[in-house]
Amino acid sequence: MTTTAPAAGTTASRVMAVPPALPADAAAYFAARLAFHTDVADVHAALAAGAGDFVLLDSRSTEAWEQGHVPGAVHLPTAQIPQLARQFLDPAVPVVVHCWGPGCDGATRAALALARLGYRVKEMLGGIEYWIREGYAVETAGGTRQLPPDPLTAPLAADDCGC
């Protein structure tokens, strides 16, 4: 691995204490990462367009599901996946799992359980927290609820995420 030395009289920052990967290694890593993760905006766009090439699975508890959930999602708490996955999910259809948010690894546990059962699976980064923070609707016992997007986490224009 080759790197550019810091300019004379300067030292490497903590950011560059470990040099970046070579471009080919970085490309392989990021391609692999995208095979395991997707984001809220892409899931929302796919569901809004009627995509049928995956199923969205909410792995939170029943109480959490009842507080609010993504319209069209399947509810299957993580602990019940080994016993009930085959009743709710077609093994031929990839699954996108989510839980509460970035501070929760429930979706990771759910994805692991599904992968061990032979499902192709991705994790939706940000979970229901970022779904709500980006201004997307949720279904609740009282009907559909939608909050305005959080300007610190969502683009100001619907198609302006910069990605």
Side-chain angles (χ1 to χ4, degrees):
M1 176 180 285
T2 61
T3 61
T4 303
T10 64
T11 58
S13 67
R14 289 181 69 131
V15 172
M16 292 307 193
V18 174
L22 294 172
D25 294 338
Y29 168 80
F30 291 117
R33 189 172 186 274
L34 289 171
F36 297 106
H37 298 104
T38 189
D39 65 31
V40 168
D42 287 345
V43 170
H44 179 266
L47 293 175
D53 57 350
F54 70 94
V55 62
L56 181 62
L57 185 138
D58 186 327
S59 66
R60 298 174 302 142
S61 69
T62 299
E63 295 80 13
W65 168 266
E66 290 172 352
Q67 278 182 253
H69 56 271
V70 175
V74 170
H75 180 234
L76 184 56
T78 301
Q80 297 175 2
I81 288 173
Q83 297 80 26
L84 300 178
R86 300 257 186 249
Q87 289 179 277
F88 292 95
L89 303 169
D90 179 346
V93 178
V95 180
V96 173
V97 298
H98 78 83
C99 196
W100 277 109
C104 170
D105 65 359
T108 304
R109 286 192 295 273
L112 175 60
L114 288 165
R116 286 179 171 162
L117 292 172
Y119 289 87
R120 293 179 301 148
V121 63
K122 287 188 173 199
E123 184 176 355
M124 183 176 82
L125 297 175
I128 192 82
E129 175 188 346
Y130 275 73
W131 183 271
I132 294 167
R133 290 180 78 177
E134 291 194 19
Y136 303 134
V138 295
E139 291 179 354
T140 70
T144 301
R145 182 171 181 210
Q146 188 168 3
L147 299 173
D150 179 341
L152 297 176
T153 63
L156 298 177
D159 61 348
D160 186 32
C161 80
C163 27

